[in-house]
Amino acid sequence: MNEVESRSEEILKTAFEMNASDIHFVPRKDDTLIELRVNHHLYELDILPKEFADRIISHFKFRAGMDIGDKRRPQDGALDVVIQGHPVNLRFSTLPTKYNESLVIRLLPQAMHTQVSDLSIFSDSTAKLLSFLNVENGLILFSGPTGSGKTSTMYAMLNAAKRRFNSRIVTLEDPVEKRNEGFLQMEVNEKANLTYDTGFKAILRHDPDIVMVGEIRDSETAKIAIRASLTGHLVFSTIHASDSIRTVQRLMELGVPRFDLKET
């Protein structure tokens, strides 16, 4: 294993051990800063010489099937790895910047199915969360900034619903973040004409108990999530917002009527 491969593996191992959600390669004039996002906050991991960091970024891009010769446009890719015996899905995103490419790697451990009791919340909050599973229809929306635990909390709730009620859970995601053999998981693929709209219509014909719509990013996914909740199904989704007030404001900005929303 050469120096680039060795350092790349070391960065992934350190990020995994620190339970980081993302690794950031930040190009600067004379060097490249590497930061880890842990519990919503960014922490400096290392500062690498510019040329060496560029070689590491090219190494990751090659392994993820990205075009290593194109540094002028944003790219994305994915890679499955095993870190300390645990399967982890890596999602890559590059951006061209003034000083060269920036790379962000999202770490998505696949075998770690978080339980609601593992979320480090008070027992009364745990009980309240689990009580939402008794609701037969409506929209349960998890909001918060990047790295705040939205996805982990949502998947923990879905796992609890599967164990408690053996619910038929169908997800529509872009992309699938955590693989789970207990769910039917669909991934948006616009090239195959599998959009949120066509996928949602197909799901409703598949007799689901719970529908999980991936992160609400635009008016289309917002309307899909609301429409699904009004068809008599229980719907889970996430949205980037700092608090419940901002969540309602964000949904209204995306075209969701105020009377369809209830804060909890």
Side-chain angles (χ1 to χ4, degrees):
M1 183 180 292
N2 62 35
E3 187 179 5
V4 170
E5 292 174 332
S6 175
R7 189 69 183 100
S8 300
E9 295 298 316
E10 184 182 336
I11 291 170
L12 291 178
K13 180 174 177 288
T14 301
F16 181 80
E17 289 175 343
M18 293 184 64
N19 199 28
S21 61
D22 302 88
I23 305 169
H24 289 247
F25 287 77
V26 184
R28 304 190 296 195
K29 183 177 180 180
D30 299 315
D31 54 36
T32 296
L33 171 67
I34 301 180
E35 294 180 307
L36 301 182
R37 186 177 295 281
V38 182
N39 295 328
H40 180 47
H41 298 289
L42 285 171
Y43 298 93
E44 180 178 316
L45 174 65
D46 203 353
I47 296 175
L48 298 180
K50 198 172 185 61
E51 273 191 27
F52 187 56
D54 290 346
R55 290 169 60 197
I56 290 178
I57 291 174
S58 293
H59 170 71
F60 279 129
K61 288 176 65 177
F62 175 77
R63 292 185 64 192
M66 302 160 73
D67 185 351
I68 63 173
D70 190 349
K71 300 182 179 182
R72 298 172 299 176
R73 64 183 179 90
Q75 294 188 59
D76 57 74
L79 176 67
D80 289 315
V81 298
V82 176
I83 304 176
Q84 296 185 329
H86 299 282
V88 180
N89 180 249
L90 305 178
R91 300 296 169 103
F92 299 85
S93 171
T94 66
L95 285 178
T97 74
K98 179 179 180 180
Y99 296 118
N100 214 334
E101 273 187 309
S102 170
L103 172 68
V104 172
I105 306 173
R106 171 150 292 189
L107 289 82
L108 300 167
Q110 299 299 302
M112 299 179 178
H113 297 316
T114 306
Q115 311 297 323
V116 176
S117 57
D118 297 332
L119 296 175
S120 299
I121 54 179
F122 296 109
S123 57
D124 56 340
S125 299
T126 301
K128 185 174 183 179
L129 268 178
L130 292 174
S131 71
F132 293 149
L133 297 179
N134 297 318
V135 178
E136 294 184 357
N137 58 74
L139 173 63
I140 298 178
L141 192 59
F142 299 87
S143 67
T146 300
S148 60
K150 300 185 300 295
T151 301
S152 295
T153 302
M154 180 172 64
Y155 272 94
M157 291 281 286
L158 291 171
N159 282 320
K162 183 64 180 177
R163 289 194 310 273
R164 182 183 294 188
F165 304 112
N166 194 27
S167 301
R168 170 57 62 222
I169 300 170
V170 186
T171 78
L172 180 60
E173 305 172 72
D174 182 22
V176 170
E177 292 200 33
K178 292 178 180 287
R179 299 187 188 98
N180 190 313
E181 293 184 356
F183 308 158
L184 295 177
Q185 295 178 289
M186 295 174 60
E187 190 163 279
V188 169
N189 184 347
E190 294 187 359
K191 291 182 180 178
N193 197 34
L194 179 55
T195 63
Y196 273 109
D197 189 47
T198 57
F200 167 67
K201 291 175 181 176
I203 286 174
L204 293 188
R205 294 193 295 266
H206 217 69
D207 190 30
D209 295 308
I210 297 176
V211 177
M212 192 274 268
V213 178
E215 179 189 332
I216 293 177
R217 302 171 183 167
D218 50 38
S219 59
E220 180 190 6
T221 51
K223 290 172 183 176
I224 289 293
I226 294 295
R227 187 162 22 127
S229 69
L230 295 175
T231 59
H233 295 86
L234 183 58
V235 180
F236 286 73
S237 192
T238 67
I239 190 169
H240 282 275
S242 55
D243 53 40
S244 60
I245 295 174
R246 181 58 188 145
T247 299
V248 172
Q249 292 174 343
R250 177 71 180 132
L251 288 172
M252 291 176 66
E253 290 169 0
L254 294 174
V256 177
R258 179 67 178 85
F259 59 80
D260 280 341
L261 306 173
K262 177 183 178 183
E263 299 169 44
T264 349

